[in-house]
Amino acid sequence: VYPLDVNKSKQELRKELSLPEEQTLLLFFDGTRPQKGPNSLLESLQYVESENVTVVFAGPARDNIKERIIDIGRERNIDTSIIGRFEFIPDNNVYKYFLASDAVLLPYRSDYRGTSGILQRSIASSRPVVGTKCGTVGKIIKNWNVGIVVEPDSPVQFGQAIDQLIENIH
């Protein structure tokens, strides 16, 4: 994790990245491996009641997840807007996404083990997190009080936690 050297406001960064300026912006960053829970996140969005929410998926897509994300959003009639930036994000733009967002989502599944560089970047960017009790991720979130922790593989809990986080940041 590198020190932040960005002297732009959240609104300036959103404009630079062509992201909505007036929405609550939630970030799912990094690869879309199944263990990271992109499908679980999509399922949880149907339980989000907050309005004016946009989820940005940023990072390379794997296993045709790009098409599935769009299809699942349509099938489930999700009100939350979804933006897909399914591409390699150059190092000089990585923190722009974190600083442009209001919070970061870590819907890791129960088979995820280890820690998370995305969690470290979230903390370095002072962005709250909704994450799951997987590996050391849940312990770090809870011990350092940097967000909300829910059980893995529970879309209802994750959606409710997103609403709770949004309520607390506004």
Side-chain angles (χ1 to χ4, degrees), residues 64-82:
N64 298 322
I65 193 76
K66 178 179 179 178
E67 291 80 17
R68 285 192 301 203
I69 286 172
I70 293 166
D71 290 344
I72 289 172
R74 282 191 206 121
E75 287 170 13
R76 301 213 170 119
N77 197 23
I78 295 170
D79 291 332
T80 303
S81 296
I82 298 171

Side-chain angles (χ1 to χ4, degrees), residues 27-28 32 38 41-42 45 55-59 69 82-86:
L27 180 64
F28 178 94
T32 53
L41 172 57
L42 287 169
L45 295 179
V55 175
V56 177
F57 285 81
I69 286 172
I82 298 171
I83 295 175
R85 300 286 170 84
F86 301 108

Side-chain angles (χ1 to χ4, degrees), residues 10-166:
K10 185 187 300 184
Q11 294 340 82
E12 290 172 316
L13 290 168
R14 287 183 180 193
K15 188 175 253 183
E16 184 176 323
L17 296 170
S18 299
L19 297 171
E21 295 178 46
E22 301 302 322
Q23 297 274 314
T24 299
L25 203 64
L26 307 175
L27 180 64
F28 178 94
F29 194 89
D30 200 13
T32 53
R33 295 191 325 257
Q35 297 89 346
K36 296 234 176 170
N39 290 336
S40 182
L41 172 57
L42 287 169
E43 191 174 335
S44 73
L45 295 179
Q46 65 188 326
Y47 302 104
V48 173
E49 295 180 6
S50 299
E51 296 180 353
N52 300 318
V53 176
T54 297
V55 175
V56 177
F57 285 81
R62 298 179 184 171
D63 303 325
N64 298 322
I65 193 76
K66 178 179 179 178
E67 291 80 17
R68 285 192 301 203
I69 286 172
I70 293 166
D71 290 344
I72 289 172
R74 282 191 206 121
E75 287 170 13
R76 301 213 170 119
N77 197 23
I78 295 170
D79 291 332
T80 303
S81 296
I82 298 171
I83 295 175
R85 300 286 170 84
F86 301 108
E87 60 200 18
F88 172 77
I89 307 296
D91 288 342
N92 62 334
N93 281 340
V94 169
Y95 275 111
K96 291 178 184 179
Y97 278 92
F98 284 85
L99 294 171
S101 70
D102 292 298
V104 178
L105 305 175
L106 303 173
Y108 297 168
R109 294 178 30 183
S110 56
D111 58 349
Y112 183 85
R113 300 290 177 253
T115 188
S116 169
I118 303 308
L119 176 57
Q120 293 173 7
R121 290 178 191 272
S122 302
I123 293 168
S125 302
S126 299
R127 294 301 178 257
V129 176
V130 175
T132 57
K133 294 179 184 176
C134 294
T136 59
V137 173
K139 291 175 187 172
I140 292 170
I141 294 169
K142 186 175 179 181
N143 289 344
W144 291 94
N145 196 28
V146 294
I148 300 170
V149 180
V150 300
E151 292 297 324
D153 308 317
S154 178
V156 174
Q157 282 186 16
F158 204 86
Q160 292 169 342
I162 289 172
D163 278 331
Q164 182 182 350
L165 183 110
I166 290 170

